Amino acid sequence: MGIRNMAAGAEIKETILRDNPTAKIGMMELDLSSLESVRKFAAQFKSCGLPLNILVNNAGIMATPFKLSKDNIELQFATNHIGHFLLTNLLLETMKQTAIEQRKEGRIVNVSSRRHKLSYPEGIRFDKINDESGYNSLSAYGQSKLANVLHANELARRLKEEGTKITANSISPGPIATNLFRYHSLIDVVVGLLGKYVMKNIQQGAATTCYVALHPQLKGLTGRYFGDSNLAEASSQAADPELARKLWEHSSNLVKS
């Protein structure tokens, strides 16, 4: 597990071990809003010599006030997309090697959101991502989630072109009663009071991720979007291959700078 808050991660680890005493769980510190932290995590992981069959890009923040990351990238875009983009690229050779050695398909799952359909009108504001004027916290969240789908689609295209036995897909977990709404106090209170009655719990929210990461029936299926453990329809912007290629190039330039 890549964990930003190691104390919270230790509690999660204990909870999992109570339910599954034979589980083997490792934790490494990872702050996806920091390119330095992502590079450090990837180097540490690779130094362990472990195989890598499945990569779930799941961390995220939602609807934060405008803020730039340590690398001067709008915080939601930095955390929800750029961090995952760099992490995936840094771990891809390990995944390729694992797939060859084990003769087993690798799988990459980007956890997006139905909010990807509610980005800015232009989809990705390439020239204005770091511009505070015109910033809307929910649209910026939608932009970062749209980027998750576009990233998975372009990665899938590239891996398929190479003939690599790794699939890349994106999913929406659906509305989950978590602290994701902490930057919107009123919504957070409502979720706290009513969430367990009208929203998914954490296990239900994780179901689609697990389905796409593990189910044998999905072997070879790549570049697709899932919701509620089924194929789902992404937005027209998310299905735009030219937008996906442009995002890839833009993201590559950001992680190099």
Side-chain angles (χ1 to χ4, degrees), residues 77-98:
F77 196 76
T79 307
N80 298 351
H81 167 61
I82 293 296
H84 290 137
F85 178 84
L86 177 60
L87 179 66
T88 303
N89 283 356
L90 293 175
L91 297 179
L92 203 51
E93 285 305 314
T94 302
M95 290 198 75
K96 290 177 181 178
Q97 195 59 38
T98 301

Side-chain angles (χ1 to χ4, degrees), residues 74 77 119-120 123-125 129 139-147:
E74 188 276 311
F77 196 76
S119 179
Y120 293 104
I124 307 293
R125 305 171 81 207
I129 285 172
S139 296
Y141 176 71
Q143 174 179 247
S144 69
K145 295 287 103 179
L146 172 61

Side-chain angles (χ1 to χ4, degrees), residues 117-184:
K117 300 179 180 181
L118 296 170
S119 179
Y120 293 104
E122 61 268 51
I124 307 293
R125 305 171 81 207
F126 292 104
D127 299 325
K128 298 180 180 178
I129 285 172
N130 298 339
D131 189 351
E132 187 172 0
S133 65
Y135 175 81
N136 178 282
S137 62
L138 287 170
S139 296
Y141 176 71
Q143 174 179 247
S144 69
K145 295 287 103 179
L146 172 61
N148 293 152
V149 184
L150 291 167
H151 171 219
N153 291 352
E154 177 62 9
L155 179 59
R157 186 190 70 78
R158 289 168 178 255
L159 292 171
K160 199 171 184 178
E161 200 172 73
E162 292 175 11
T164 305
K165 298 296 182 185
I166 299 173
T167 63
N169 293 291
S170 55
I171 71 105
S172 168
I176 310 170
T178 68
N179 69 343
L180 200 59
F181 300 95
R182 60 188 177 276
Y183 293 101
H184 289 259

Side-chain angles (χ1 to χ4, degrees), residues 1 6-21 25 27:
M1 296 193 298
M6 295 295 280
E11 293 178 9
I12 293 168
K13 180 177 177 178
E14 287 178 16
T15 301
I16 294 171
L17 288 172
R18 277 199 300 271
D19 295 336
N20 302 275
I25 304 166
M27 292 195 310

Side-chain angles (χ1 to χ4, degrees), residues 52 55 69 84 94 115 192 200 205 222 239 244 255 257:
L52 183 58
L55 175 63
S69 71
H84 290 137
T94 302
R115 286 283 320 186
K200 295 180 179 181
T222 191
V255 299
S257 60

Side-chain angles (χ1 to χ4, degrees), residues 184-241:
H184 289 259
S185 55
L186 181 59
I187 298 175
D188 195 40
V189 169
V190 172
V191 169
L193 292 172
L194 303 176
K196 63 182 178 181
Y197 302 109
V198 298
M199 303 174 81
K200 295 180 179 181
N201 60 32
I202 291 171
Q203 290 79 6
Q204 291 167 334
T208 304
T209 301
C210 294
Y211 171 69
V212 175
L214 299 167
H215 205 291
Q217 286 184 355
L218 301 188
K219 185 176 180 181
L221 198 62
T222 191
R224 307 298 289 272
Y225 173 73
F226 293 81
D228 295 324
S229 299
N230 280 291
L231 281 167
E233 187 175 346
S235 70
S236 58
Q237 289 175 329
D240 183 344

